[in-house]
Amino acid sequence: MRLRNRPEAEAFLREHPEYVILDPQKYNGQFSSLFPVKQPLRIEIGMGKGDFMIGMAQKYPEINFIGIEKYDSVLYVALKKILKQTPLPNLKVMCWDATHIQDVFSEGEVDRIYLNFSDPWPKKRHYKRRLTYHDFLVQYQLILKEQGGLELKTDNRTLFEFSLLEMNRFPMTFDDISLDLHHSIQMEDNVMTEYERKFSPNGPIYRLVAHFESRGE
Ligand SMILES: C[S@@+](CC[C@H](N)C(=O)[O-])C[C@H]1O[C@@H](n2cnc3c(N)ncnc32)[C@H](O)[C@@H]1O
């Protein structure tokens, strides 16, 4: 999802340091210092317009959340939505490409990673760009705490199967797998994403929850 170029996006993001982490590398190992309360940290990679992060931050004030988005034009839209809510002290966002996620978070800094409706990159030659490709998983393994969870939701069966196979190359435990989230008991706790709202009427939503057996070196 790349929105049309918005020159005003960067300036607007800079005007809101209360939500936007402008220089993420500076906080490597110290992201908890950005929040008023030191509590578990969960991140969404590819947050898009932010519906999920807003919903989660409202529902779980006892957890800190950071939404990560590659494009500032998309983050700009998310920030506008965030600013319409009552203040969310447990939410921050940042513009960053997850290809280099290991450069911002230190070993074991993150409690849980959410990947929601990640771009499926359907062409075979692009499979390395999928956010569950081996090289991304190596980094997730490193930044996640021992027993830290990875949650994936998608409507794309091919991406789901690819993700299972990639994860299966690691020592990982699958804690839960659903082939139709919206007709399962897990739906009770589900916070919808923008894409989920849009695409769930067309077919099943696949979800998996997993954790690495040990942290990467
Ligand atoms: C299909 S959208 C889904 C948005 C949202 N998670 C949802 O479920 O509604 C995928 C988002 O991931 C972002 N994205 C893709 N690759 C990324 C990367 N390497 N690092 C950070 N964000 C990325 C895209 O810019 C896009 O906004």
Side-chain angles (χ1 to χ4, degrees):
M1 170 171 56
R2 180 157 202 177
L3 301 188
R4 72 196 144 84
N5 195 29
R6 288 181 191 263
E8 72 274 33
E10 198 193 328
F12 189 71
L13 294 176
R14 288 192 178 281
E15 279 166 24
H16 291 281
E18 75 278 24
Y19 282 116
V20 184
I21 306 170
L22 292 166
D23 191 0
Q25 277 173 296
K26 210 169 102 185
Y27 296 97
N28 186 303
Q30 292 166 32
F31 280 95
S32 70
S33 70
L34 291 170
F35 295 92
V37 185
K38 193 172 174 354
Q39 45 193 13
L41 176 64
R42 302 188 181 188
I43 64 174
E44 181 186 12
I45 300 178
M47 72 178 290
K49 295 180 194 163
D51 290 18
F52 180 76
M53 279 291 90
I54 292 170
M56 291 295 282
Q58 288 170 335
K59 190 168 176 177
Y60 300 106
E62 72 282 10
I63 294 167
N64 291 333
F65 293 93
I66 297 179
I68 299 164
E69 170 54 48
K70 186 172 172 177
Y71 297 113
D72 62 1
S73 55
V74 181
L75 197 58
Y76 169 79
V77 179
L79 179 60
K80 286 203 152 182
K81 275 193 189 179
I82 292 168
L83 292 168
K84 284 187 186 145
Q85 316 299 317
T86 48
L88 291 165
N90 60 332
L91 176 62
K92 304 275 178 215
V93 296
M94 67 193 214
C95 196
W96 194 259
D97 184 338
T99 312
H100 310 288
I101 196 84
Q102 196 184 316
D103 295 347
V104 278
F105 293 102
S106 65
E107 273 185 52
E109 189 166 16
V110 175
D111 288 87
R112 187 162 282 251
I113 297 175
Y114 297 100
L115 300 173
N116 292 320
F117 297 79
S118 306
D119 297 320
W121 293 106
K123 289 189 182 143
K124 234 181 176 160
R125 67 175 189 276
H126 289 151
Y127 72 97
K128 290 186 179 176
R129 297 182 191 178
R130 296 175 185 155
L131 292 182
T132 46
Y133 172 60
H134 175 272
D135 292 9
F136 285 99
L137 293 177
V138 167
Q139 297 192 66
Y140 303 160
Q141 184 181 26
L142 193 82
I143 66 171
L144 276 169
K145 278 201 169 58
E146 221 48 78
Q147 302 293 311
L150 182 60
E151 287 197 29
L152 171 99
K153 284 198 280 189
T154 181
D155 62 331
N156 187 294
R157 176 114 195 174
T158 307
L159 177 67
F160 192 68
E161 288 174 2
F162 171 86
S163 303
L164 283 170
L165 294 174
E166 289 294 290
M167 290 181 191
N168 203 36
R169 294 169 64 190
F170 286 77
M172 279 192 99
T173 298
F174 292 97
D175 302 303
D176 191 55
I177 293 180
S178 173
L179 298 180
D180 190 357
L181 172 65
H182 285 213
H183 296 98
S184 73
I185 184 84
Q186 280 78 6
M187 193 55 190
E188 278 176 21
D189 285 330
N190 189 49
V191 172
M192 293 264 249
T193 82
E194 190 214 350
Y195 269 61
E196 187 170 1
R197 211 165 272 125
K198 198 161 157 190
F199 293 112
S200 53
N202 303 345
I205 301 303
Y206 308 101
R207 176 176 175 262
L208 69 81
V209 183
H211 66 269
F212 293 94
E213 282 307 318
S214 60
R215 230 176 46 229
E217 297 305 323

